[in-house]
Amino acid sequence: HVCAAYDSLVQKIGKKPRVVYMTPQGYTFNQKMAQDFAKEDDLVILCGHYEGIDERALERIVTDYVSIGDYVLTGGELPAMVVIDTVSRLVPGVLHNSESAETESFENGLLEYPQYTRPEVFEGKKVPDVLLSGHHANVEKWRLEKSIERTKKYRPDLYEEYCRKQSGT
Ligand code: 4FV
């Protein structure tokens, strides 16, 4: 059935589409892969359920083996939705301008800085003064510092890569 569906699609679009198979045995999904997938005019996301899909079908049609993380789900549907969400928001015109800026913050290879909204004081805790200062350079400096601090704590792998790139090695 999977190959029959694939073959009918190839006939319809006149070319072999990129086929992403969601599986714990795949490369770990990340923003760079999402950016790459977002360039495709067509993207097929193949989901297994329970045991997965016969290897012979996979060998014939899959171009990318992708995992959303090291845990086992019942089916590939939720992983497919993760890919759809992260990829679609990168397609021009899908997001409003205000939302698309969020994508920038992760692209520097660091985790995003803390977000603050209103009110200025919540349960006795103030929004950091620098964020209210209107001094954009200082705000950006604070955001970078917080991103580095957070990345160092939660993702030493990303932090190491960031330092390596900063030192040009
Ligand atoms: C999975 C993951 C995942 C394994 C057996 C579906 C399930 C069933 N997919 N990242 N983690 N898939 O657990 O992508 O076929």
Side-chain angles (χ1 to χ4, degrees):
H1 295 309
V2 166
C3 288
Y6 174 83
D7 291 343
S8 68
L9 177 64
V10 169
Q11 201 160 24
K12 183 173 179 231
I13 64 176
K15 62 175 181 163
K16 292 187 174 182
R18 194 150 187 192
V19 178
V20 177
Y21 177 53
M22 304 312 304
T23 172
Q25 286 79 44
Y27 292 111
T28 303
F29 187 53
N30 59 28
Q31 195 69 13
K32 277 192 176 62
M33 291 164 86
Q35 286 159 356
D36 186 35
F37 292 158
K39 295 171 189 161
E40 298 291 343
D41 290 332
D42 304 295
L43 190 68
V44 173
I45 305 175
L46 186 59
C47 308
H49 206 81
Y50 295 122
E51 288 315 305
I53 292 175
D54 188 295
E55 193 64 21
R56 290 162 298 180
L58 299 178
E59 283 169 355
R60 172 139 103 72
I61 71 172
V62 172
T63 56
D64 301 82
Y65 291 80
V66 174
S67 168
I68 60 164
D70 295 336
Y71 37 83
V72 182
L73 299 157
T74 312
E77 294 84 358
L78 290 176
M81 288 170 70
V82 166
V83 172
I84 290 167
D85 186 289
T86 46
V87 172
S88 55
R89 65 190 306 279
L90 296 175
V91 174
V94 170
L95 289 185
H96 295 299
N97 291 340
S98 58
E99 295 166 301
S100 61
E102 289 165 37
T103 321
E104 297 306 315
S105 64
F106 198 87
E107 281 171 356
N108 62 5
L110 295 171
L111 300 183
E112 190 162 88
Y113 44 81
Q115 299 287 338
Y116 290 87
T117 178
R118 303 200 181 294
E120 272 188 38
V121 182
F122 175 69
E123 294 182 346
K125 292 191 173 184
K126 265 176 65 28
V127 170
D129 291 333
V130 65
L131 299 183
L132 303 172
S133 68
H135 194 301
H136 295 295
N138 287 353
V139 171
E140 287 312 306
K141 181 170 176 291
W142 178 90
R143 285 177 167 174
L144 179 59
E145 285 166 2
K146 289 299 177 186
S147 283
I148 291 171
E149 182 186 309
R150 188 170 269 192
T151 307
K152 186 175 183 179
K153 177 176 181 183
Y154 292 104
R155 290 293 303 277
D157 58 320
L158 291 180
Y159 178 69
E160 204 175 296
E161 177 63 13
Y162 175 79
C163 294
R164 195 185 60 74
K165 284 182 179 167
Q166 289 301 305
S167 64
T169 53

